[in-house]
Amino acid sequence: MTPIVAVELVLAVALALMVALILYVWLRRRWIAGGKPLMLCAISAGQHSRWRLGLARISGDRLDWFSVVGPSPRPAHSWVRHELDLGAPQRLPDAVPGLPPDAVCVTGRSTSHDWELAMSPAAYTAVRAWLESSPPGYNVNVA
């Protein structure tokens, strides 16, 4: 095998791997969405932890958070609506890469632990409205 053929073969394999990676990222994002709304959202385990960029999905009675760069199609964090409590939104002291400059930070509490979410004001409004609405089939006949 000549050196030029070897280089062409290596480049072809590298190109095929890049196309496969892009295809996987696209398919993973489609799988995560599953026809439900997605929003860009960062999570932090506490005040001194770093922010991890991800996608938040509202699905029925669950709020799921998926890492942007992770290979898993399963949520890294998942909270049930009735176990979830969100605090008031606050301005972020430092910008989070990937989020809009007007992003807000909100402290969340669940039965298992506390954490912080950073998201756009519109995404916060959507999550707050979902959290305050009644779950499907619960108190349907309230007048």
Side-chain angles (χ1 to χ4, degrees):
M1 183 181 311
T2 65
I4 292 180
V5 172
V7 169
E8 288 176 348
L9 186 60
V10 168
L11 289 176
V13 168
L15 182 63
L17 286 174
M18 285 181 19
V19 168
L21 179 65
I22 290 171
L23 182 63
Y24 176 75
V25 168
W26 181 77
L27 287 172
R28 178 179 178 262
R29 198 248 174 238
R30 298 278 297 175
W31 174 264
I32 288 171
K36 296 173 178 65
L38 281 181
M39 57 200 96
L40 199 57
C41 178
I43 191 169
S44 173
Q47 291 182 349
H48 302 292
S49 296
R50 67 181 184 89
W51 290 101
R52 293 181 51 216
L53 194 60
L55 298 169
R57 175 183 71 187
I58 295 172
S59 158
D61 67 339
R62 301 190 75 77
L63 175 64
D64 298 324
W65 184 87
F66 301 85
S67 176
V68 167
V69 294
S72 176
R74 296 182 185 190
H77 300 281
S78 187
W79 302 279
V80 179
R81 183 190 329 222
H82 69 274
E83 296 176 354
L84 186 60
D85 182 32
L86 293 181
Q90 302 171 359
R91 287 294 212 192
L92 281 169
D94 298 322
V96 177
L99 290 179
D102 64 340
V104 296
C105 173
V106 61
T107 302
R109 290 174 199 80
S110 66
T111 55
S112 57
H113 63 285
D114 295 352
W115 33 266
E116 292 180 311
L117 290 176
M119 61 187 80
S120 71
Y124 170 75
T125 302
V127 171
R128 174 61 74 182
W130 167 79
L131 185 62
E132 292 177 356
S133 66
S134 65
Y138 182 76
N139 283 343
V140 176
N141 298 321
V142 175

